[in-house]
Every structure is written in structure tokens, then in C-alpha cells.
Amino acid sequence: MLFQLTPEQKAVRDTVRGVLARRLDTAALRAAASRERPGIDRALWRELGEAGFFALRLAEADGGAGLGLPETVLAFEEAGRALLPGPLLATHLAAGTVPGAAEGTCVVAAVDGALVEWLDAADVVRGDTAGAVRVRSVDPLTPLHRVPAPAAGSDPVAVLLTAAEQLGTATRACELATQHARAREQFGRPVGAFQAVQHLCAELLVRVEVARVAVYAAAVTADPADIAAARLLADEAAVRGARDCLQVHGGMGFTWESEVHLLLKRAWVRGRRAGGTAWAEELLAADLVASASDLGG
């Protein structure tokens, strides 16, 4: 069985990538990260709305694109690759129920566990934020608040789209590592000629491609266990990939001029979203127990 992107799916991916490449390069990311309080680029948000980003799964009769999870995963993967700031997930999930969310004219935040992303910048906040307290975020592009009464449970769609963003970040880390390994020279040779660097880049690529297969497959099956497995693999690919990318860059990766440290920080913060690893591990454990019981019966 062949799993190839359809022309429509490639168009979704290329459209989102084109918008973000034009509006959110490394210089723009650094400028946003340097602000004392990061804000949302409302013009970019509206452009994404016009491109259909937030309304991909909304029925055509309701003004959406009428597409499914596979296409949405591709769009969120591109957002993760570009480190697009803002409550993308909450706004996407609100399309069709919150006026303006689908069009990108309304920014929506949501209580997700004990943390709320972009609470102060949102036009609408879904969930109970009573007693919310601002906390210092390791990611300068994701302001956070903590709430005393976290929401219970996790939406599988939110888990899968978070995994897609992590996959995009892992992909970017792999790209940056290999580019640096080819361009940076030591002792008259590219650092990529050294076996230790080659091993790091190879491991980066393997984790990315394994996570990609899992995320894409989960988008097709929409099975909660597949989604949980995809989330665990994507989280690992993003966090370990960003760390290995830092190793390839050496001290340069920690500098403010580089975007590598931003990849790691975003992967850390995103890893706490939508139940985090705990939700995925518990769901997979329950699924294995159930499968073992069925076999025993």
C-alpha cells in the first residue's frame, strides 16, 4: 500500500509553508522573542484565516474547507516547523463555534490542563480561568498562565495536532543540524565529516521519520491508541532533536542570534499541552491491558 500525499494535501502544505516563509523568517522570530511581552501578529493571523488554516475541518456549508485530519496535520506540521507563535490549536478547535475564529479575526485561548497559553492576548478564552496566575515561560514566544483547577481529560484531536507541531519542530531541527554540519568547518573539514556529528544527524533523521510515519498514520486511523503513540514519538523527536541540533551547533546554538534554542524551548512547553506524555502513556497502557485480556479470553 502506498501512502503518498494527494495534490490537494500538497497544496495545503505548500500554502501554509509559503505564507509562513514570507511572513515569519528567523529575523522576525528573533524580533518577537526579544519583546518583553510577546504579541500576536494579527495581520498574519488574518492571512492564515483567509488561507483556510483555522477552518480546514469545518464543513463547506459552514464556510470551511471540508477537509479532514490528514490535511490539518500537514498544516500544523508547517506551523511547528516555523515556530509560529500564538494559540493556533485553541483557535482551530473553536472554528465554527466562536465567531471570527475560522476567519482569523478572533484569537481564542483555552484552558489546557493546568496551563493557559496566550491568555492576555486572546479575544475569547474557553474554560475556567478563575485564579489564573502568570508564570514565567521558558519559551519567550509562549506566555503562560497557571490555573488552580485544571481541566480533566484530553481531546484526541488536540493531542494529534500537538504531535504534528512537534513533528514540524523536529523536522526543522534536523534541517538546521545538517545545514550547519555541511557549512561549518574545523581543522579544514566540514564538521559533518566527523563520525560523532554524522551519528547525531543520522539519529535526528531516524527519529523524525519514525515520528512522521506515526503521526500521518494516526491522522488516517484517528484511533486514540495510534494518536497516543504518535504523540510520544513526536515529543521525543522534537525534544531530543533540538538537543542534538544544539550539540551539532556547539556554543553557537545557545546564542540569541540562532533559532536553535527556540526550537528546544518550544518543544518543552508544547510537551506539557493536551495531557502531555502522561495521558499518552496511560492510554497506551490501558490499550495493552485490554488487548492482553482479549487474547487471554
Side-chain angles (χ1 to χ4, degrees), residues 195-274:
Q195 192 174 63
V197 176
Q198 291 174 359
H199 285 174
L200 284 174
C201 291
E203 290 167 1
L204 268 162
L205 180 61
V206 169
R207 283 194 296 267
V208 166
E209 293 307 317
V210 170
R212 189 186 311 282
V213 169
V215 171
Y216 287 8
V220 173
T221 67
D223 180 77
D226 291 345
I227 290 174
R231 173 64 187 276
L232 291 174
L233 288 168
D235 278 352
E236 180 185 29
V239 173
R240 291 189 61 185
R243 285 175 173 169
D244 286 351
C245 186
L246 279 172
Q247 289 293 323
V248 173
H249 279 74
M252 292 176 62
F254 290 90
T255 63
W256 198 253
E257 289 73 20
S258 169
E259 68 180 275
V260 181
H261 69 102
L262 295 176
L263 297 175
L264 180 57
K265 292 171 180 177
R266 181 67 61 84
W268 275 336
V269 170
R270 202 187 287 129
R272 301 290 298 274
R273 188 200 295 165

Side-chain angles (χ1 to χ4, degrees), residues 127-160:
D128 183 8
T129 60
V133 177
R134 176 183 290 276
V135 294
R136 182 167 182 171
S137 175
V138 68
D139 177 14
L141 292 170
T142 309
L144 297 172
H145 281 74
R146 184 178 296 279
V147 294
S154 293
D155 177 1
V157 173
V159 176
L160 178 60

Side-chain angles (χ1 to χ4, degrees), residues 45-130:
W45 211 259
R46 289 191 297 273
E47 189 170 349
L48 287 170
E50 292 169 1
F53 183 94
F54 302 112
L56 283 169
R57 294 188 305 125
L58 199 61
E60 292 184 53
D62 297 322
L67 299 176
L69 273 177
E71 293 78 18
T72 309
V73 158
L74 293 172
F76 271 76
E77 181 184 351
E78 290 303 318
R81 181 175 174 270
L83 288 183
L84 176 60
L88 300 167
L89 180 59
T91 303
H92 173 81
L93 294 176
T97 58
V98 174
E103 296 80 12
T105 56
C106 177
V107 175
V108 181
V111 176
D112 183 4
L115 296 175
V116 186
E117 299 178 5
W118 294 92
L119 176 61
D120 289 342
D123 302 311
V124 173
V125 181
R126 307 176 83 185
D128 183 8
T129 60

Side-chain angles (χ1 to χ4, degrees), residues 76-82 163-173 263:
F76 271 76
E77 181 184 351
E78 290 303 318
R81 181 175 174 270
E165 286 189 78
Q166 292 284 60
L167 171 60
T169 296
T171 300
R172 183 59 179 158
L263 297 175

